[in-house]
Amino acid sequence: MVQYVSPPLDLSFAALSDATRRGIIDQLGRGDASITSLADKFQMTLTGMKKHVQVLERAGLVVTQKVGRVRTCKLGKRGLNAEAEWIEAHRKLFEARFEALDEIIGEMTQEGSDEPAS
Amino acid sequence: MNQQVNSADGAQNRTSVERKGDRELVVTRTFNAPPSTVYRAWSQPELFQRWWVPKSASGVSLVSCDMDVRTGGKYRLEFGAGGSDTMAFYGKYLEVVPNERIVWTNDEGEEGAITTVTFEDQGGKTLLNLHEVYPSKEALEEALQGGAAALPEQLEQLDELLSGTGE
């Protein structure tokens, strides 16, 4: 698996399997926010929000930074690199397709309907 | 399995995807067969449907595949993920030149791209170029950002997938 692109996918899926956490990602997409303000917005305790943020942080979806007494959350690299990720996903899709196409072309070539493969 | 190496080329036929300009994406790859063979695998529905949906897209399969590959012809692909819901992709062929190029529209979305695939003979091999040109910069941006927007949908698919494994 590709280690340098992102943490394991199952971490992300686990992180995003919760509606509140998806809401947090959505919210951070509109701008950075402190844990306190997120807790307010989602009507949760600070502790509850911290737990959610930790899960998102482990999945690389959110990064946090503490300045003074305020911990600010923002979208992690994976969120910011949506374009690069999309292109990579696109590449993976076509790569998988073309691998399969390659096999079929190999079969066709061996059937002798074209010049024999070298 | 494939090694994910970002600088491999030459001996290994690699798939590359690039964004070009404001509203275009280009996918390229070389195949070890002449264009006539690659074109056939691309234009005959019974061959096309064997590779267009990769096995790695587990859970998703092609339910039906109608392709009338000629200038002015139409196509319609329907995908299903095991349930009764299917997702259709359809459009028409704007230009078909056997063994050389196929141009089609993607009409299932608001601002679909126009896809052009060309087959270029390179001494018995084929250089395949696939261009997706979006109607506007915004349409491409939207497609690129669709990655994030598509997450909930992917999660639903994942849920379906997981619930189907008897876990």
Side-chain angles (χ1 to χ4, degrees):
Chain A
M1 276 311 292
V2 204
Q3 287 299 336
Y4 57 88
V5 172
S6 62
L9 262 185
D10 48 2
L11 264 184
S12 314
F13 280 127
L16 290 165
S17 60
D18 177 276
T20 304
R21 290 199 286 266
R22 289 202 295 273
I24 295 168
I25 291 288
D26 202 45
Q27 190 62 37
L28 293 176
R30 289 174 216 149
D32 303 353
S34 69
I35 297 231
T36 314
S37 71
L38 286 173
D40 283 349
K41 198 158 225 48
F42 290 89
Q43 298 174 342
M44 293 179 81
T45 63
L46 209 53
T47 313
M49 182 50 73
K50 272 185 188 156
K51 277 185 185 160
H52 277 313
V53 168
Q54 258 171 11
V55 175
L56 291 167
E57 207 170 5
R58 272 203 299 268
L61 293 160
V62 164
V63 288
T64 69
Q65 196 180 17
K66 197 162 185 175
V67 178
R69 291 175 52 191
V70 181
R71 188 173 282 279
T72 303
C73 313
K74 59 180 180 185
L75 285 184
K77 261 213 175 111
R78 303 196 54 212
L80 294 174
N81 280 343
E83 177 172 330
E85 284 205 19
W86 189 89
I87 287 181
E88 177 58 17
H90 213 61
R91 197 185 66 76
K92 281 199 180 122
L93 170 67
F94 271 101
E95 189 163 59
R97 280 174 175 168
F98 289 165
E99 287 297 310
L101 175 56
D102 230 358
E103 277 178 41
I104 288 164
I105 286 171
E107 284 173 29
M108 291 164 75
T109 311
Q110 283 185 348
E111 280 164 12
S113 51
D114 279 290
E115 290 174 18
S118 49
Chain B
M1 279 310 290
N2 267 333
Q3 278 286 308
Q4 289 274 353
V5 186
N6 277 328
S7 58
D9 56 353
Q12 214 194 348
N13 294 332
R14 263 189 57 80
T15 303
S16 81
V17 175
E18 285 174 14
R19 181 175 175 173
K20 222 174 101 176
D22 269 353
R23 52 193 193 100
E24 190 172 351
L25 282 165
V26 186
V27 184
T28 51
R29 195 186 194 277
T30 302
F31 292 93
N32 300 332
S36 57
T37 306
V38 184
Y39 175 83
R40 224 160 26 104
W42 203 292
S43 56
Q44 294 186 352
E46 63 276 12
L47 291 171
F48 179 85
Q49 60 186 310
R50 284 176 56 197
W51 63 268
W52 187 251
V53 188
K55 291 184 189 72
S56 58
S58 52
V60 180
S61 60
L62 210 48
V63 179
S64 67
C65 173
D66 296 308
M67 299 163 65
D68 179 12
V69 188
R70 55 188 171 143
T71 302
K74 290 194 170 80
Y75 73 90
R76 184 180 178 91
L77 304 174
E78 285 191 19
F79 293 89
S84 56
D85 283 347
T86 58
M87 193 165 50
F89 293 85
Y90 52 90
K92 60 181 182 295
Y93 297 102
L94 296 177
E95 187 190 3
V96 176
V97 181
N99 307 330
E100 280 181 34
R101 64 198 277 129
I102 309 175
V103 184
W104 69 87
T105 63
N106 297 275
D107 295 340
E108 62 278 346
E110 279 284 288
E111 289 202 287
I114 292 191
T115 312
T116 300
V117 64
T118 58
F119 311 94
E120 209 176 298
D121 194 342
Q122 293 197 320
K125 292 188 176 192
T126 300
L127 171 64
L128 185 145
N129 261 297
L130 183 139
H131 291 244
E132 292 178 323
V133 183
Y134 287 80
S136 65
K137 182 179 181 216
E138 291 69 30
L140 174 58
E141 295 286 344
E142 199 150 311
L144 291 174
Q145 283 154 15
L151 261 178
E153 195 183 320
Q154 286 171 355
L155 287 167
E156 268 169 43
Q157 286 174 349
L158 184 81
D159 281 345
E160 276 177 37
L161 226 62
L162 294 176
S163 61
T165 58
E167 283 287 348

